[in-house]
Amino acid sequence: MPLRMRQTTGDSSASELSFGMSDIISSSSSCPSPTEIDPNMYTFPDRIREEERMTTIRSLIPDEIKAASLKQQLQALQSEYNALSRDISQKRYSLTHIGVLPPEVMGEMFVYAVGSDELAALSLSQVCLAWRIIIQSTPRAWSTITIRFTRVKALKLAEHYFKQSRACPLHVAIIEPPPTWRTGVPEHEIWPVADLVKANWNRIKIFRMYKIGGGVAQTFLESCFPLEVPQLESPDSSQSSLALSPPPKPTSRSLTRSPVRHIALHLFPNHNPGQATDFGDFRLMPSLFGDPREVSTFTLENGLPCYDMNLFNWGTLRSIQIEEPHMFSYSTPIDRVLDILAANPMLHAFVLAGNRSNRVRATEVRRMTEGIVNLPALRVLSLQSVDIPFLLDSISCPILEKLKLGNELGARWDGSVASSLRNLIKRSNYPSITRLRINEIATPSLISTNDWACFEMMPNLQSFRCHHTDFPDDLLTQFTLPSSSALPPGDLSMGKLLCPALSKLVFENCNLSGAALVSLAKARSECTQDHVALQELWTWQCPNIRSIDEELLQDILGDRYTPTLQKEDV
């Protein structure tokens, strides 16, 4: 493209100069050679940038030295400020009422404040530096350790508590696994926690498991106490009867001494439709929990225990509570139950909700040969779904106070159960039984009130609960009539007032008449020299109690009477 330039000098004021690219090319032959270039006249850009870079670097050196010096001064001032702030805080804290308390007293207060709160110790350690130092110097404040598998970083938190508790005896509770664990147990998540508990087992005094499925509990405990024999298949209700032979006793080489005093496994059954019941099967774990020779309480809900477990043999148990899952393929070893009772004569409470008994003729002969098991300290006895008559005929309880009998499989009250209870009371020299509960025991064809003669043997009875059992009206009459001194002892007949100390009655789904109950309420509404006043009367879902009977009971007893629950209230 040609360029046009207007010439403004000379005589030609409007002349134009036109030249093209060919003119520029042709004039290049007149450019100077490199040797003719003056370095002072021409400056290359690279050289300029290098000189500027060196100048900038030289100027940075004093700035960096000054910045480092200021930083050191700032750090020194910050340290001085922090020290002064801490000193001010400590002086202000010392002026408060709580600040004058000795650290030992503060530590005891923290132990009391922690209580059952799972994270209280961790929260108190974050209040201030003084509290953190005190609570970290108080191991007992960290001795209650709750491991929730649903909590984020549950393992790290448990490790921190185990570390801070030092050598202090521990109360460890393992609860609440994720709901997804019911379908499959992730062993890789259970094993690290189990290893932590196992490493500190020699310090655990109380061990509990709550809301834990049977499969999770079994996997966890097997990791702590490995099986010595192959695992037994879990019984299924659809299988035929399974003959369970007693497992071999462990050798002393495999036992581990433990200071544990209280063990409670409250396993959570799985009631999801289409899934088998989730229970713990510990029948082949005789070395479970090591060798705890000082354990005093043992509780197992929804699990099958090993009745040859080491902790049953040392005679230190004060309370035993076993609730087996109901299965057709399993039988409670009733002979081993008697062995456990005989080995622990100082039991205060014994609760057994089992299954059908596997009692054979040899067991009966053995009981007759070895005699009655004496339990001089037993105060609470609860037998459900087991061979109730056999156990009642095998023991003696001189100071028995609370008795619960129920869910007997095939037994009838007007037969062996009533007779065995009367024999137990006589054999135990008429203990002062204050509470009696009967639940789901058949009472068909009651003809004579002698089947209920045990009530005459319980003059100190204060509370009676009858659930899903036919209770005769004739017996209610015996609670209303005045006493007669002319009657010989042990003779239950008309005119004898039963249980003068009775103050609470509960009837649920019982076929007693409303008229008889109204008569009882009238006779027992006020306290007299022959009996105490009835303080509580409950009737739930009793079909023979009419609305008019409920109104009469309400008028007689007022708030002391709770009427039958309606269907919408159940």
Side-chain angles (χ1 to χ4, degrees), residues 514 517-518 521-522 539 545-559 561-564:
L517 200 59
V518 170
K522 291 180 178 179
T539 58
I545 298 180
R546 303 166 300 174
S547 299
I548 187 173
D549 298 326
E550 294 178 2
E551 295 176 359
L552 291 174
L553 291 172
Q554 196 77 45
D555 294 338
I556 297 171
L557 298 177
D559 296 338
Y561 171 63
T562 301
T564 304

Side-chain angles (χ1 to χ4, degrees), residues 156-290:
K156 293 292 184 182
L157 184 62
E159 290 176 347
H160 180 69
Y161 268 72
F162 275 111
K163 180 180 178 181
Q164 293 296 333
S165 61
R166 297 181 178 88
C168 186
L170 301 177
H171 175 186
V172 178
I174 302 175
I175 60 177
E176 197 178 357
T180 56
W181 286 17
R182 294 187 182 181
T183 56
V185 180
E187 297 180 349
H188 64 282
E189 297 185 29
I190 295 179
W191 286 343
V193 181
D195 292 340
L196 182 63
V197 173
K198 183 179 180 179
N200 295 274
W201 183 252
N202 59 345
R203 295 196 293 127
I204 296 178
K205 188 175 181 180
I206 302 175
F207 180 78
R208 289 188 171 99
M209 300 183 80
Y210 290 101
K211 300 180 181 179
I212 298 289
V216 176
Q218 188 170 341
T219 302
F220 184 91
L221 295 176
E222 286 178 358
S223 301
C224 293
F225 309 95
L227 292 174
E228 300 181 1
V229 292
Q231 176 65 21
L232 185 70
E233 294 183 0
S234 298
D236 191 353
S237 59
S238 61
Q239 297 177 354
S240 60
S241 178
L242 177 64
L244 177 64
S245 58
K249 290 185 177 296
T251 59
S252 59
R253 177 178 51 85
S254 61
L255 300 181
T256 303
R257 188 69 178 270
S258 171
V260 65
R261 296 288 184 88
H262 308 279
I263 299 174
L265 306 180
H266 301 274
L267 308 186
F268 187 78
N270 185 4
H271 298 293
N272 293 338
Q275 296 184 7
T277 303
D278 186 14
F279 64 89
D281 190 355
F282 311 107
R283 290 177 292 170
L284 294 182
M285 299 182 67
S287 60
L288 185 62
F289 305 114

